[in-house]
Amino acid sequence: QVQLVESGGGLVQAGGSLRLSCEASARIANGYPMGWFRQAPGNEREFVAAISYVRIAAYYADSVKGRFTISRDNAKRTLDLQMNSLKPEDTAVYYCAAGDHYSSNVYDTKTYTYWGQGTQVTVSS
């Protein structure tokens, strides 16, 4: 069982930046996806960004493209999300997730086996 622990959430004004970090208790194989999802009150959990070394690619939701950057360090077992130009609509609980098998469908929550406890991000207008 892999434990994921997020950190770095908080309160920030619109236009500001935050960096989320996720540390895994064990190494996630390069080809297995790792990603970030978020969930606002009353909404379903939605895809934010993911990274997989099968195709050496990063994937982003259209709503965050150009503002968020995902990065992964397998040696340190960490996954980061740099969030710039934050908007009030980015307010949500952000979850780190990791898969335990190869998958090209990095957008679906069902792809991921392990989840962190979540960290709150609040963007004030």
Side-chain angles (χ1 to χ4, degrees):
Q1 187 75 6
V2 176
Q3 308 293 327
L4 302 175
V5 179
E6 303 102 335
S7 61
L11 173 65
V12 65
Q13 287 189 330
S17 298
L18 281 175
R19 188 176 183 89
L20 304 183
S21 294
C22 171
E23 183 171 359
S25 61
R27 184 176 175 275
I28 305 297
N30 283 354
Y32 297 176
M34 293 190 74
W36 290 93
F37 288 75
R38 66 186 182 188
Q39 188 167 17
N43 291 354
E44 292 187 354
R45 194 168 296 190
E46 65 175 8
F47 171 80
V48 175
I51 190 165
S52 169
Y53 290 146
V54 173
R55 299 181 63 185
I56 315 178
Y59 306 84
Y60 297 95
D62 287 343
S63 59
V64 307
K65 205 170 292 184
R67 300 188 298 122
F68 291 11
T69 302
I70 190 171
S71 59
R72 177 174 174 177
D73 187 328
N74 272 12
K76 296 181 180 178
R77 305 192 312 274
T78 58
L79 180 74
D80 291 343
L81 185 68
Q82 177 65 41
M83 305 186 296
N84 298 328
S85 302
L86 282 161
K87 304 175 181 179
E89 51 263 45
D90 295 318
T91 295
V93 177
Y94 283 70
Y95 296 90
C96 174
D100 64 357
H101 59 279
Y102 295 102
S103 176
S104 60
N105 186 3
V106 300
Y107 307 96
D108 193 339
T109 57
K110 297 181 179 64
T111 293
Y112 300 87
T113 302
Y114 308 109
W115 292 85
Q117 81 286 354
T119 185
Q120 177 71 46
V121 171
T122 303
V123 184
S124 63
S125 57

